[in-house]
Amino acid sequence: MARAPLTAGSNNPSSSDSSSSDFGYDLDLDRAVELIRKCGAKRIGLQAPEGLKRSMPAIAKQIAEETGAEVIISGDPCFGACDVDLMLCDEVDLMLHLGHAELGAGPDRVIFLEARMREDLREAVEKAAQILTASKVGVTTTIQHVHKLGQALDVLKMHGIVGLLGLAGERVKYPGQVLGCSYASARALDVEEYLFIGTVEFHPLGIALSTGKRVVIADPVTGEVSEIDTDPMLRRRFGAISRATLAKRFAILVSKKPGQKRMDLARRLMHLGEARGLEMFLVYLDNIEPDRLLNLGAEAAVSTACPRVALDDAAKYRIPILTPPEFEVLLGERRWEEYEFDEIE
Amino acid sequence: MARAPLTAGSNNPSSSDSSSSDFGYDLDLDRAVELIRKCGAKRIGLQAPEGLKRSMPAIAKQIAEETGAEVIISGDPCFGACDVDLMLCDEVDLMLHLGHAELGAGPDRVIFLEARMREDLREAVEKAAQILTASKVGVTTTIQHVHKLGQALDVLKMHGIVGLLGLAGERVKYPGQVLGCSYASARALDVEEYLFIGTVEFHPLGIALSTGKRVVIADPVTGEVSEIDTDPMLRRRFGAISRATLAKRFAILVSKKPGQKRMDLARRLMHLGEARGLEMFLVYLDNIEPDRLLNLGAEAAVSTACPRVALDDAAKYRIPILTPPEFEVLLGERRWEEYEFDEIE
C-alpha cells in the first residue's frame, strides 16, 4: 500500500470536517477518509497523544461510519512520532497517527495527521518583539503552530527584525520546527537570539542549551512572553550527576519505541561504565516510569530514550537518572564545561 | 534453534547454582548456561515477574560471566507466561523467561525457567486435612509449588483422603496446576471438594466459581488454612454490572500480550453491544492501568485481557470494568444464575 503524502491541514473555518473541528484543532480527517476508501483498507489503527485522546472515540466512529472499516484505538501512552504503535500496525491495514509529523521516512502504512492549533500568533509575537534585541532572530516552534509561522515573520518584519527559519534535518519535517529531542533546525542558523513560539518550557530550554544563545518565549495560548533561564536546570543536572557518583550499580535504559531506541549508544555507555569498574546492566522497556525501576535494584540509571525522561521527569524517580552526555561527565569522559543537551540523531 | 526441554529445578541444597539459591527459590540456571553455550547464543533476553525482578541483575551478571553472551533485561512488568516480551525476543538469540511454565507450545527461542519455592507443604496440608470433609479431594496449586505436590498427596493419604490431580489442559503444563485464567485441571476432576495450596486468594476463588464446589486453602508460607467464600466477590461483581447498566459508551479492551490477546472475542462483544444501541470502541493496549482509560471517555469497559484486571483490580478504576461473561449478563445474553468466571482457552 502506498504511503499517503502529508498534506497541510485546512485552516478554512467552513471546512466540512465538522467532527474534528469540535476539538479546538484542525485535522485533515477528510483526506484520511478519502485515502482509506481509495486503498480499500478494512482495518484502521488510530493513535494519538494524551492531549487528543478524548476525541479518539468520536474520530473512530466517524471513520467507521464513513468508510465501513473497523477502527482499533491504541490505548497505550503516546509521546510523539518516535512512538508509533508498531504492534497495532501489525493488526491493521492502515494506521492514523494523530498530532505529530513523521520523523524522517516514518514506518510503512502509517499516515501522520498533524493537529493544527487555531491560535493566532500575532499578539504574542508582537509582545515578544518588544524584548528581542537582535536584528536577526531564529524563529522556532512545535508542530501545532508551524503552519502559522508566516504570521510571526510578518510581525517581526514590522518591527524591523528579520525572522529566520532553520532548515529541517533528518528527524524534523518543517523549517523552524523543533522536537524535544532535536534542535537541529535552530542550530542551523547563524543568529544571536531565538524566538520560541509555544506552550512548553522544555523546548526553549533545549534551544538555549544546544545553541548557547538567548531564547525568548511567546506563548500563543496565554499571550505571555518570557525569557528562558537555563541556570536552574543546569544546577539540578549537576546535582543529579553528583548524586550518581555514589552509585556503583547502573541500569542503562533502552526504549522499545522505534524513534527512541538507541541500543548501540547503550552498549557503548555500558562498556565505558564497565571499564571504570561499575556494575552495569541493560534494561529494555517501553514506557519508562518510576515503578519500572523500583525492583531492579539499580542505584542510578542512564536513559538513552527520550531526553525528557531524565531532564523533565527526574523528580518522580528515587534514583538519579542521567542522559548519555551526563554519564560521560560522570565518568570523566567529558568536561562539565562541555555539557550537552541530549538529542537523538 | 531447538527449544530446550523444561527440566525440574534442583531441590538439592548442595546445588552448584549458588547465585539463584540466594533468592529463596530454585532456578535451573546451570542448565540455561549449558544450553546457551551449546547453541552459541550471543545475546540473551531475561524476563521475570515483579517478585523475581530484584535478582535479575545478579542473574544477568552470572550468565554474562559464564557464557560471554550479552544479557538484556526486560524492564516492563511481567504477569505470566502469557506475557512473553516479544519485542525483546526480536533483539536476542535466546530468551530466558523466569518464574512461569510455558502456555501450550510457547513462542520460539524462549526457555521457561520455573522458580521453585522451597517451602515444605506438609505442615499446611496436615492442618487442611482436619477440615476437609470429602474422601476424594482435588488437589491444586500454582507453578511455584507444583514440584512438591507429592508431599500433599502423602499427607492426605495418611488421613485416609484420596488426593487427585487434574490433567493439564492446553494452557497448563502440570497436573494439578492452575492459572489465574485457567481452572481446566480442577474441572477435569469428579470431586466434591478441592484443596488449593498457595498464597494467592484469586486462584481458589476461580476454582470455587468455575466448579461450584468447596475449596480449602493451605498456605505453605504462613502455615494458615482457610476456606474460600465466593459471596463477597459475587456481590461486588453484581454491583459492577449494575453500575455498568448506566453506561452508554463502552471500551472493549484487547491486550497485546500474546497469551491474553482475544481479538475475536472482543469483536463479538463489540457487535453484541452495538446491536443493543451502545456506543462501542476497541482499544488495543499492553498494560491495562487506570490512567490508560482516563482520557478515552469510556463510561464502562470490558476487559478481554487477563481476568484479574476486572476481578482483582476493579477498585483502582473509576469506571466499572466487566469480564466478557459479565458483559453478556449486562446485555441479557446470559442470566446472572449462569455467571461464569472468565477463563482464557
Side-chain angles (χ1 to χ4, degrees), chain A residues 69 169 181 185 243 272 303 310:
Chain A
C181 58
S185 68
R243 281 194 297 139
L272 278 180
S303 168

Side-chain angles (χ1 to χ4, degrees), chain A residues 260-279:
Chain A
Q260 295 186 20
K261 182 174 152 183
R262 292 190 281 179
M263 192 65 92
D264 290 343
L265 172 61
R267 290 196 169 106
R268 185 172 71 74
L269 298 174
M270 171 126 172
H271 296 145
L272 278 180
E274 284 175 342
R276 304 293 169 118
L278 297 173
E279 192 179 325

Side-chain angles (χ1 to χ4, degrees), chain A residues 157-269:
Chain A
K157 194 174 175 187
M158 287 192 298
H159 287 265
I161 300 170
V162 178
L164 297 174
L165 304 181
L167 285 180
E170 285 286 303
R171 209 170 160 81
V172 173
K173 189 172 179 200
Y174 296 103
Q177 183 196 351
V178 289
L179 296 174
C181 58
S182 179
Y183 303 94
S185 68
R187 271 197 311 277
L189 296 170
D190 179 23
V191 294
E192 291 306 309
E193 200 171 36
Y194 289 89
L195 171 64
F196 171 78
I197 301 164
T199 50
V200 195
E201 208 189 56
F202 189 76
H203 298 76
L205 261 174
I207 299 167
L209 285 166
S210 84
T211 64
K213 303 290 164 61
R214 179 176 186 241
V215 181
V216 168
I217 307 172
D219 184 331
V221 175
T222 63
E224 297 292 315
V225 160
S226 56
E227 184 179 339
I228 202 72
D229 177 9
T230 57
D231 199 51
M233 193 189 106
L234 286 176
R235 284 172 191 268
R236 283 198 305 274
R237 300 318 301 162
F238 192 81
I241 297 170
S242 302
R243 281 194 297 139
T245 57
L246 304 174
K248 292 283 168 246
R249 177 185 277 199
F250 282 77
I252 306 276
L253 309 177
V254 183
S255 174
K256 291 179 177 177
K257 300 183 189 301
Q260 295 186 20
K261 182 174 152 183
R262 292 190 281 179
M263 192 65 92
D264 290 343
L265 172 61
R267 290 196 169 106
R268 185 172 71 74
L269 298 174

Side-chain angles (χ1 to χ4, degrees), chain A residues 22-339:
Chain A
D22 294 332
F23 300 111
Y25 51 84
D26 291 305
L27 278 176
D28 200 354
L29 211 53
D30 289 346
R31 195 178 151 69
V33 163
E34 194 187 309
L35 189 82
I36 293 166
R37 283 192 186 132
K38 206 182 289 175
C39 72
K42 295 289 172 232
R43 286 185 182 157
I44 308 297
L46 191 61
Q47 187 183 21
E50 291 311 304
L52 305 182
K53 276 240 161 80
R54 189 160 281 275
S55 38
M56 287 171 89
I59 293 173
K61 194 179 171 191
Q62 183 180 339
I63 294 172
E65 283 173 0
E66 294 188 14
T67 67
E70 173 184 279
V71 181
I72 304 176
I73 292 173
S74 172
D76 289 320
C78 172
F79 298 100
C82 52
D83 191 10
V84 169
D85 186 339
L86 296 181
M87 290 187 82
L88 179 52
C89 284
D90 285 343
E91 298 292 321
V92 298
D93 303 317
L94 199 70
M95 177 96 154
L96 302 182
H97 182 105
L98 311 185
H100 307 115
E102 71 271 39
L103 294 179
D108 282 348
R109 293 190 298 162
V110 180
I111 299 181
F112 292 82
L113 281 190
E114 298 156 21
R116 306 191 156 210
M117 289 181 76
R118 300 192 195 125
E119 267 72 14
D120 196 288
L121 308 187
R122 284 171 288 206
E123 189 188 330
V125 176
E126 186 72 46
K127 261 188 171 173
Q130 318 293 327
I131 63 165
L132 287 166
T133 57
S135 58
K136 235 175 48 178
V137 166
V139 179
T140 59
T141 188
T142 50
I143 187 71
Q144 302 96 312
H145 304 294
V146 84
H147 60 295
K148 297 216 168 172
L149 279 180
Q151 290 185 341
L153 300 186
D154 288 347
V155 171
L156 293 177
K157 194 174 175 187
M158 287 192 298
H159 287 265
I161 300 170
V162 178
L164 297 174
L165 304 181
L167 285 180
E170 285 286 303
R171 209 170 160 81
V172 173
K173 189 172 179 200
Y174 296 103
Q177 183 196 351
V178 289
L179 296 174
C181 58
S182 179
Y183 303 94
S185 68
R187 271 197 311 277
L189 296 170
D190 179 23
V191 294
E192 291 306 309
E193 200 171 36
Y194 289 89
L195 171 64
F196 171 78
I197 301 164
T199 50
V200 195
E201 208 189 56
F202 189 76
H203 298 76
L205 261 174
I207 299 167
L209 285 166
S210 84
T211 64
K213 303 290 164 61
R214 179 176 186 241
V215 181
V216 168
I217 307 172
D219 184 331
V221 175
T222 63
E224 297 292 315
V225 160
S226 56
E227 184 179 339
I228 202 72
D229 177 9
T230 57
D231 199 51
M233 193 189 106
L234 286 176
R235 284 172 191 268
R236 283 198 305 274
R237 300 318 301 162
F238 192 81
I241 297 170
S242 302
R243 281 194 297 139
T245 57
L246 304 174
K248 292 283 168 246
R249 177 185 277 199
F250 282 77
I252 306 276
L253 309 177
V254 183
S255 174
K256 291 179 177 177
K257 300 183 189 301
Q260 295 186 20
K261 182 174 152 183
R262 292 190 281 179
M263 192 65 92
D264 290 343
L265 172 61
R267 290 196 169 106
R268 185 172 71 74
L269 298 174
M270 171 126 172
H271 296 145
L272 278 180
E274 284 175 342
R276 304 293 169 118
L278 297 173
E279 192 179 325
M280 310 290 298
F281 54 97
L282 283 175
V283 181
Y284 192 47
L285 73 180
D286 185 10
N287 295 301
I288 301 179
E289 295 172 13
D291 63 0
R292 300 292 186 265
L293 302 184
L294 278 184
N295 287 329
L296 285 172
E299 294 162 353
V302 183
S303 168
T304 62
C306 173
R308 297 186 78 156
V309 171
L311 301 178
D312 235 11
D313 300 342
K316 298 198 299 186
Y317 293 86
R318 293 169 61 176
I319 56 173
I321 303 198
L322 306 183
T323 65
E326 289 168 352
F327 186 58
E328 291 172 349
V329 170
L330 175 87
L331 296 181
E333 295 278 327
R334 176 191 290 275
R335 292 186 310 133
W336 170 248
E337 292 70 22
E338 295 162 343
Y339 183 91

